[in-house]
Amino acid sequence: MEKEALLKKLSKSTINSLHTFYTTYLRINSSLQTLSLPQLISKEVIHYYIQYVIHKNGIHVRGVSTSSSGAGDKKDKREEKERLRQQKQDNDYIMGGSLGSALIYVVGKKLGWGRSLMDVCDSFNPQDDDEEKNDEK
């Protein structure tokens, strides 16, 4: 009951932002577990992740598009809307992976538990994440 009341107060944009924040948080945690890094690293990475999101007012990564491109035909308005939604979801997914990889790599090096950048990026295992994305639909 309480959850529904709270959701009614939030805008759709806020709900989408929270969903992106939470899914990225889950991906970072999964990656940290895959890499078997100590709890200290996990706490620091999550701390920096939250600080980054607060400072940037969301997950924004330079070099990854935040907007959708292309103009559609009015006949295919529904298809175009779906394509734009999917493109935004893909961009959020890429930004989350990029940010998570960078944070884990830098914090790991800083605290003496560094892994190669390739290992960190591989820990975000896109095959598992693609299955999760399909399960959400």
Side-chain angles (χ1 to χ4, degrees):
M1 205 50 116
E2 191 175 306
K3 181 180 177 182
E4 289 81 18
L6 180 60
L7 286 174
K8 285 181 182 178
K9 292 180 182 178
L10 299 174
S11 69
K12 188 171 184 170
S13 174
T14 302
I15 292 170
N16 290 338
S17 295
L18 289 170
H19 182 263
T20 301
F21 173 82
Y22 181 67
T23 54
T24 301
Y25 168 80
L26 291 177
R27 289 178 67 209
I28 290 171
N29 266 337
S30 174
S31 177
L32 288 164
Q33 289 173 356
T34 301
L35 293 168
S36 301
L37 293 170
Q39 190 68 24
L40 173 65
I41 305 278
S42 299
K43 287 180 180 180
E44 280 292 306
V45 168
I46 297 303
H47 170 76
Y48 282 116
Y49 171 60
I50 292 169
Q51 292 301 312
Y52 183 91
V53 171
I54 290 169
H55 179 72
K56 294 286 189 176
N57 197 20
I59 299 173
H60 304 288
V61 177
R62 186 174 284 172
V64 179
S65 175
T66 57
S67 61
S68 303
S69 60
D73 193 6
K74 287 187 179 184
K75 293 179 184 177
D76 301 326
K77 200 170 192 175
R78 193 173 298 154
E79 289 176 12
E80 181 68 13
K81 190 174 182 179
E82 176 60 26
R83 186 188 69 75
L84 293 174
R85 186 196 63 75
Q86 183 62 46
Q87 186 176 1
K88 182 181 181 335
Q89 187 177 11
D90 292 346
N91 289 346
D92 288 346
Y93 187 77
I94 292 168
M95 282 191 277
S98 300
L99 178 60
S101 295
L103 288 172
I104 292 170
Y105 180 77
V106 170
V107 171
K109 291 287 185 187
K110 175 184 165 190
L111 297 177
W113 286 85
R115 300 288 173 89
S116 72
L117 185 57
M118 184 177 244
D119 287 343
V120 172
C121 292
D122 286 344
S123 71
F124 277 84
N125 199 347
Q127 293 165 345
D128 291 344
D129 289 338
D130 286 341
E131 290 171 8
E132 288 176 16
K133 283 172 63 176
N134 290 333
D135 289 344
E136 290 176 0
K137 291 182 180 178

